[in-house]
Amino acid sequence: MQIEEIIRVLENWASPVLQEPYDNCGLLVGSPYWECSSILISLDITEEVINEAKGKGCNLIIAHHPILFKGLKKITGKTYVERAIICAIKNDIAVYAIHTNLDNIATGVNAEIAKRSGLLNCTVLQPKSLMFKKLYAFVPYSHIEAVRNAIFNAGAGHIGNYSECSFTNQGEGSFKPEQGATPFLGTIGHRHTENELKLEVIFPNWLEASIINAMKTAHPYEEVAYDIVQLSNEFQSVGSGMIGELAEPINEIAFLELLKKQFGLQIIRHTALLGKPIQKIAVCGGAGSFLINKALAAGADIFVTADLKYHEFFDAEGKMLLADIGHWESEQFTIDLIADYLKTKFPTFALLKTEVKTNPVNYYS
């Protein structure tokens, strides 16, 4: 199996279109056309992880964090990034990163944190907008079901937990085939009118090419009349963070103890206890301070995240508990998340999880 086949599966799950502007997801080292021997999954890429892959016969590493965030002007081995890149290239090991695109999907990193925290009824905390477009296509009655089914199969028509969503209304279209045309209806040089249906359907931006291709393939007309419009609707299943609730409220200390147990924590940095029960909980893996106000507005009793700076603890305004559990600690189970997903797609393929603990932060107690 070629590496590109594995990439295709990963990107159908978490499209690179969903990554944040600063990010650098995708294949960073190696060729998509290499045959894949086996896969090593890690949170980070270091020289030690690459040597582990070499020792275990893996020629593809899938990591959450990209080793390359910006361009390198020199590759001399001076920094850990340069040494890791050199090591990967020398050993023909491909490196693929699935980062903020995996953060931003409803079945991604934050869903894993929410599951391990015991949360129910979870939704995206800050949904993204400008991720949807609408297709208007004009179709003769005889082919409406063929065209509708084709674009549904290409991924259009999903709204929340509903699929195959569309709207049609009827009207009359006119056209005159000119010399050189091969019309499905009408004759050369004569205006033709036809009863048609206007089909409306929404779709995620990144599926546009496949949906248009599917529509044109199923449509009988030589020249298909259609419009595409950008929508500002929020994409409820794509965005930053997640919010859910416990089945029953518990006190603050009990919930902090639950976090310590579930995430193997030595320490939790948090704001002053408020003496209120915890039930509604917001989470964001990695650096999530940008969501503090969103968690407050959503009525969260506690916001669990990482990488909070001193002054950002004040932003809770004494209305919500803030808990910083550590960056690596919050995202450590992303390795299991990726492995479990790939096992459903490639049940007989060799998938290994790193045994290298890449967390650069240590605690003295």
Side-chain angles (χ1 to χ4, degrees):
M1 179 167 59
Q2 291 187 331
I3 287 172
E4 66 173 346
E5 297 177 57
I6 298 157
I7 291 174
R8 190 179 306 118
V9 166
L10 289 171
E11 294 186 353
N12 283 338
W13 180 33
S15 171
V17 172
L18 300 178
Q19 69 179 300
E20 297 300 327
Y22 63 82
D23 207 1
N24 189 33
C25 301
L27 187 64
L28 305 180
V29 176
S31 169
Y33 307 114
W34 288 351
E35 288 293 320
C36 186
S37 56
S38 55
I39 300 169
L40 182 67
I41 302 169
S42 178
L43 195 68
D44 304 286
I45 296 291
T46 64
E47 193 174 1
E48 189 177 1
V49 171
I50 293 166
N51 283 323
E52 179 189 23
K54 178 184 175 183
K56 292 179 176 178
C58 302
N59 71 335
L60 172 62
I61 299 173
I62 298 172
H64 183 47
H65 296 138
I67 184 68
L68 294 170
F69 267 105
K70 47 192 173 184
L72 292 176
K73 294 186 177 180
K74 298 177 182 178
I75 306 179
T76 62
K78 185 177 181 180
T79 67
Y80 86 93
V81 172
E82 294 173 15
R83 290 192 295 273
I85 296 300
I86 291 170
C87 187
I89 292 171
K90 285 177 66 176
N91 291 287
D92 290 334
I93 294 173
V95 174
Y96 184 89
I98 182 167
H99 189 211
T100 52
N101 50 333
L102 189 58
D103 290 334
N104 283 334
I105 61 171
T107 56
V109 174
N110 294 306
E112 188 70 15
I113 297 169
K115 180 182 77 173
R116 291 176 183 270
S117 301
L119 304 191
L120 306 171
N121 306 320
C122 295
T123 57
V124 173
L125 181 59
Q126 181 173 272
K128 284 187 175 294
S129 58
L130 299 176
M131 302 300 294
F132 276 122
K133 290 184 178 179
K134 177 176 276 193
L135 167 66
Y136 299 93
F138 301 87
V139 188
Y141 279 69
S142 59
H143 283 70
I144 188 65
E145 284 308 310
V147 172
R148 191 176 357 225
N149 289 337
I151 61 178
F152 286 161
N153 291 335
H158 287 269
I159 302 177
N161 293 323
Y162 294 83
S163 62
E164 301 191 2
C165 302
S166 69
F167 182 80
T168 55
N169 56 7
Q170 61 184 16
E172 184 179 83
S174 71
F175 50 87
K176 183 172 73 171
E178 301 290 351
Q179 290 297 326
T182 53
F184 175 73
L185 297 167
T187 56
I188 302 293
H190 297 276
R191 183 192 302 158
H192 178 83
T193 58
E194 182 69 24
N195 290 327
E196 294 178 333
L197 290 169
K198 180 183 179 183
L199 174 63
E200 302 181 29
V201 63
I202 67 170
F203 61 88
N205 291 351
W206 59 93
L207 295 179
E208 181 173 341
S210 60
I211 287 167
I212 298 307
N213 183 61
M215 177 197 67
K216 288 182 175 180
T217 300
H219 203 291
Y221 289 178
E222 181 182 22
E223 295 289 345
V224 181
Y226 67 94
D227 301 315
I228 293 176
V229 178
Q230 178 72 60
L231 303 179
S232 59
N233 306 45
E234 288 186 336
F235 199 156
Q236 295 298 325
S237 60
V238 170
S240 304
M242 190 154 280
I243 188 163
E245 57 190 19
L246 299 173
E248 299 290 338
I250 61 175
N251 68 53
E252 294 162 309
I253 294 297
F255 184 71
L256 293 176
E257 287 293 337
L258 182 149
L259 288 177
K260 287 184 71 175
K261 178 181 177 182
Q262 291 297 97
F263 293 87
L265 308 176
Q266 297 180 47
I267 188 169
I268 299 176
R269 300 165 66 226
H270 62 85
T271 51
L273 299 178
L274 301 175
K276 300 190 299 185
I278 298 291
Q279 185 167 25
K280 196 169 188 179
I281 297 154
V283 301
C284 179
S289 62
F290 69 101
L291 290 173
I292 292 174
N293 288 336
K294 198 72 178 179
L296 278 168
D301 301 311
I302 184 171
F303 178 34
V304 180
T305 188
D307 294 351
L308 294 176
K309 297 179 181 178
Y310 175 84
H311 291 286
E312 290 168 344
F313 282 94
F314 288 105
D315 293 341
E317 298 280 2
K319 299 175 183 177
M320 173 183 72
L321 196 60
L322 270 179
D324 183 332
I325 66 173
H327 196 124
W328 183 92
E329 289 81 1
S330 70
E331 296 182 332
Q332 60 185 297
F333 298 114
T334 303
I335 296 171
D336 301 297
L337 175 71
I338 296 168
D340 291 345
Y341 182 79
L342 287 177
K343 283 175 186 174
T344 66
K345 303 298 180 180
F346 307 109
T348 62
F349 197 73
L351 298 168
L352 304 177
K353 294 184 278 190
T354 184
E355 297 178 57
V356 176
K357 186 177 180 181
T358 59
N359 189 2
V361 180
N362 291 274
Y363 304 97
Y364 179 79
S365 59

